[in-house]
Amino acid sequence: MRIALAGLLASALVASEGSFSPARSSELLEGLREVFGYSLSGFLLDGALTAIKIAVLALVAGTALGLLLAVMRLSSFAPVRGIAWFYIWFVRGTPIILQLVFLYDALPPLGIKLSSFTTAVIGFALNEAAFMAEIIRGGILSVDRKQSVAAAAFGMSHHQTLRRIILPQAMRSIVPAMANQAISLVKGTAIASVIFVNELTFRSQQIVGQNFKFFTVFAAAGIIYLVMTSAISVLQSYLERHFNMEREPGRPRGLARLRLWAAGPAAAPDPAAHSTPPAALKWAAAEVGGVPPRKPDGSDPFVVCRGVHKAYGSREVLRGIDLTVNRGEVVVVMGPSGSGKSTLLRLVNHLEHLDRGEITVEGKLVGYERWNGKLRPIRNLAKARADARIGMVFQHFGLFDHFTAVENIMEAPVQVHGVPPAVAREEAMRLLAQVGLTFHADHLPHRLSGGQQQRVAIARALAIKPDLMLFDEPTSALDPELVGEVLTAMRRLAEAGMTMMVVTHEVRFAREVADRIVFMDEGQIVEQGAPSEILDAPVHERTQRFLRMVDRIPA
Ligand code: ADP
Ligand code: MG
């Protein structure tokens, strides 16, 4: 048979040099026919099926375990991280062939008797998990953390955030790496022959052992492997298209289309809204959900901070904050970078634990319970945040990159508050109209300008029907010409009676909209009062210095 192989090679060589001999080319044809025949032989295809079964089962189980390990690796609890790290270190560091043989030989004495097929599935799954864990962890880390913070602020749980926000985006980097794994795995199942799994390579060897047709049998096996791995490549490109965020506006694919369909007919785009000048933003006071008329006369405390302390490590960031914000009041917080303004806002929404003191919103602690005269965080923080209904707007927007504008706004109402998608969508379209973005409803954030993104973020925060809105430097990341449109939206909201805590350095906005300005420095409130008092006649030297700086007025 080696002669046949040599003959085949020779005829191929001759053919390539252009001089055909009928006898040789018929030999070549015969060879090809044989390869074709073996590729369709039930014996080899059965072996291929075994390989596919092992690969699919191991990949599914390995991915599930890998996801668990990836989440464990990202845990804030060191022992959990350690266990996952050790597993990955050990499994990646030893050859799969040894792992398979070990399982095959070690399990029976322990009284566990498994078929070689099952042993192979378990072995490959355990091995795959270690690699998938690192692939998934890489994918998770590639998603901007700001989005998780935003999701948490609206009361989404860790699990919801992972499933709805992080993983769909992580899939962009996970899919190609996972396809690599799947391909290696399909081919790697050949190793299972060491524990006598009757898969494709094993069966090819059996045939060759009998008829010595190395070339044709192995060529056939190669073709079968190619078909299997090509199927994975096709699946890969489908998945990549599915998770591609650059999809055409208004033409979502796959699951997203299904979701939109389930959510009911979209409101017709209103091209006129596109040209709506920012000044014409319509926050009709009557349209802001259930906000009572303004009463900022100090009679109705809404947010109360008492002796709030917070340190990161040894660095004291907040050093005894006492602050009351009344219902319907707009409080602007100013202060140099690092003075603790963002930390204060995050504590109000319990995005971080406080160390000492307490904060109540509408008389209630957000996510704490009293225990031995002290506060202790409750278990289900996500629910506490959801119940508190505090809207939050961030400096860097934190929009969910894989969702369109309208989907961004619908997310928390649907996922956290159980609003039916069709209702949430209608509400989201109404909010979008109020920020003058009806035309952009089906656009992904990356297609919007910074100012538009921030207006979507404001609409998103309003969608949970908040009684309190927190703004953390909402215009600091914007080009100067885009600042106005965002401030206008905020001004309308203030006029509609929303209780607002706004960290901003926009002096004009503060002067015109704020009821009170609070000036912070080094974790303390240095002074506070009406805008005219603080802006025109600051008492404290640090306030004066700061205002000179932001106003760019020469000393
Ligand atoms: P501001 O918003 O006024 O600029 P921040 O509240 O963001 O100030 O931060 C106050 C200080 O706390 C800064 O020095 C910052 O470096 C520190 N800080 C903020 N967040 C963290 C964190 N998660 N871990 C450690 N330090 C932090
Ligand atoms: Mg800040």
Side-chain angles (χ1 to χ4, degrees), residues 35 80 87 159 214 325 347 488 537:
V35 171
V80 170
Y87 180 91
H159 174 253
F214 291 91
V325 178
L347 290 183
T488 304

PDB file of all heavy atoms in Angstrom, residues 35 80 87 159 214 325 347 488 537:
ATOM      1  N   VAL A  35     -10.605   8.026  -0.993  1.00  0.00           N
ATOM      2  CA  VAL A  35     -10.664   9.032   0.085  1.00  0.00           C
ATOM      3  C   VAL A  35     -12.119   9.421   0.328  1.00  0.00           C
ATOM      4  O   VAL A  35     -12.608   9.449   1.465  1.00  0.00           O
ATOM      5  CB  VAL A  35      -9.843  10.288  -0.295  1.00  0.00           C
ATOM      6  CG1 VAL A  35     -10.097  11.405   0.712  1.00  0.00           C
ATOM      7  CG2 VAL A  35      -8.355   9.948  -0.360  1.00  0.00           C
ATOM      8  N   VAL A  80     -12.242  32.660  47.903  1.00  0.00           N
ATOM      9  CA  VAL A  80     -12.946  32.247  46.686  1.00  0.00           C
ATOM     10  C   VAL A  80     -12.049  32.458  45.471  1.00  0.00           C
ATOM     11  O   VAL A  80     -11.914  31.590  44.604  1.00  0.00           O
ATOM     12  CB  VAL A  80     -14.273  33.053  46.543  1.00  0.00           C
ATOM     13  CG1 VAL A  80     -14.888  32.820  45.169  1.00  0.00           C
ATOM     14  CG2 VAL A  80     -15.250  32.657  47.637  1.00  0.00           C
ATOM     15  N   TYR A  87      -7.280  26.136  40.926  1.00  0.00           N
ATOM     16  CA  TYR A  87      -7.835  25.189  39.958  1.00  0.00           C
ATOM     17  C   TYR A  87      -7.267  25.463  38.570  1.00  0.00           C
ATOM     18  O   TYR A  87      -6.791  24.557  37.877  1.00  0.00           O
ATOM     19  CB  TYR A  87      -9.370  25.306  39.941  1.00  0.00           C
ATOM     20  CG  TYR A  87     -10.017  24.354  38.964  1.00  0.00           C
ATOM     21  CD1 TYR A  87     -10.405  23.090  39.358  1.00  0.00           C
ATOM     22  CD2 TYR A  87     -10.203  24.723  37.628  1.00  0.00           C
ATOM     23  CE1 TYR A  87     -10.979  22.205  38.459  1.00  0.00           C
ATOM     24  CE2 TYR A  87     -10.768  23.844  36.724  1.00  0.00           C
ATOM     25  CZ  TYR A  87     -11.151  22.585  37.141  1.00  0.00           C
ATOM     26  OH  TYR A  87     -11.705  21.718  36.245  1.00  0.00           O
ATOM     27  N   HIS A 159     -26.310  39.540  39.409  1.00  0.00           N
ATOM     28  CA  HIS A 159     -26.641  38.526  38.416  1.00  0.00           C
ATOM     29  C   HIS A 159     -27.265  39.161  37.167  1.00  0.00           C
ATOM     30  O   HIS A 159     -26.882  38.854  36.040  1.00  0.00           O
ATOM     31  CB  HIS A 159     -27.594  37.505  39.051  1.00  0.00           C
ATOM     32  CG  HIS A 159     -28.102  36.509  38.069  1.00  0.00           C
ATOM     33  ND1 HIS A 159     -29.391  36.531  37.607  1.00  0.00           N
ATOM     34  CD2 HIS A 159     -27.489  35.496  37.425  1.00  0.00           C
ATOM     35  CE1 HIS A 159     -29.549  35.565  36.736  1.00  0.00           C
ATOM     36  NE2 HIS A 159     -28.412  34.915  36.603  1.00  0.00           N
ATOM     37  N   PHE A 214      -2.574   4.304   4.542  1.00  0.00           N
ATOM     38  CA  PHE A 214      -2.340   5.506   5.354  1.00  0.00           C
ATOM     39  C   PHE A 214      -2.943   6.742   4.716  1.00  0.00           C
ATOM     40  O   PHE A 214      -3.704   7.476   5.313  1.00  0.00           O
ATOM     41  CB  PHE A 214      -0.832   5.754   5.512  1.00  0.00           C
ATOM     42  CG  PHE A 214      -0.156   4.757   6.353  1.00  0.00           C
ATOM     43  CD1 PHE A 214       0.403   3.620   5.775  1.00  0.00           C
ATOM     44  CD2 PHE A 214      -0.059   4.952   7.719  1.00  0.00           C
ATOM     45  CE1 PHE A 214       1.031   2.686   6.559  1.00  0.00           C
ATOM     46  CE2 PHE A 214       0.582   4.019   8.498  1.00  0.00           C
ATOM     47  CZ  PHE A 214       1.136   2.881   7.928  1.00  0.00           C
ATOM     48  N   VAL A 325     -31.108  67.914  52.571  1.00  0.00           N
ATOM     49  CA  VAL A 325     -31.678  68.401  51.315  1.00  0.00           C
ATOM     50  C   VAL A 325     -33.185  68.246  51.434  1.00  0.00           C
ATOM     51  O   VAL A 325     -33.666  67.153  51.744  1.00  0.00           O
ATOM     52  CB  VAL A 325     -31.155  67.582  50.111  1.00  0.00           C
ATOM     53  CG1 VAL A 325     -31.788  68.068  48.814  1.00  0.00           C
ATOM     54  CG2 VAL A 325     -29.636  67.658  50.031  1.00  0.00           C
ATOM     55  N   LEU A 347     -22.602  57.434  48.361  1.00  0.00           N
ATOM     56  CA  LEU A 347     -23.090  56.948  49.653  1.00  0.00           C
ATOM     57  C   LEU A 347     -24.594  57.148  49.771  1.00  0.00           C
ATOM     58  O   LEU A 347     -25.293  56.324  50.366  1.00  0.00           O
ATOM     59  CB  LEU A 347     -22.372  57.669  50.800  1.00  0.00           C
ATOM     60  CG  LEU A 347     -20.900  57.332  50.994  1.00  0.00           C
ATOM     61  CD1 LEU A 347     -20.348  58.073  52.206  1.00  0.00           C
ATOM     62  CD2 LEU A 347     -20.693  55.843  51.184  1.00  0.00           C
ATOM     63  N   THR A 488     -29.941  72.471  30.110  1.00  0.00           N
ATOM     64  CA  THR A 488     -31.341  72.837  29.866  1.00  0.00           C
ATOM     65  C   THR A 488     -32.275  71.732  30.352  1.00  0.00           C
ATOM     66  O   THR A 488     -33.292  72.002  30.999  1.00  0.00           O
ATOM     67  CB  THR A 488     -31.564  73.078  28.362  1.00  0.00           C
ATOM     68  OG1 THR A 488     -30.640  74.063  27.939  1.00  0.00           O
ATOM     69  CG2 THR A 488     -32.976  73.566  28.096  1.00  0.00           C
ATOM     70  N   ALA A 537     -20.281  86.360  47.758  1.00  0.00           N
ATOM     71  CA  ALA A 537     -19.607  86.796  48.981  1.00  0.00           C
ATOM     72  C   ALA A 537     -19.160  85.616  49.814  1.00  0.00           C
ATOM     73  O   ALA A 537     -19.594  85.428  50.961  1.00  0.00           O
ATOM     74  CB  ALA A 537     -20.566  87.687  49.788  1.00  0.00           C
TER      75      ALA A 537
END
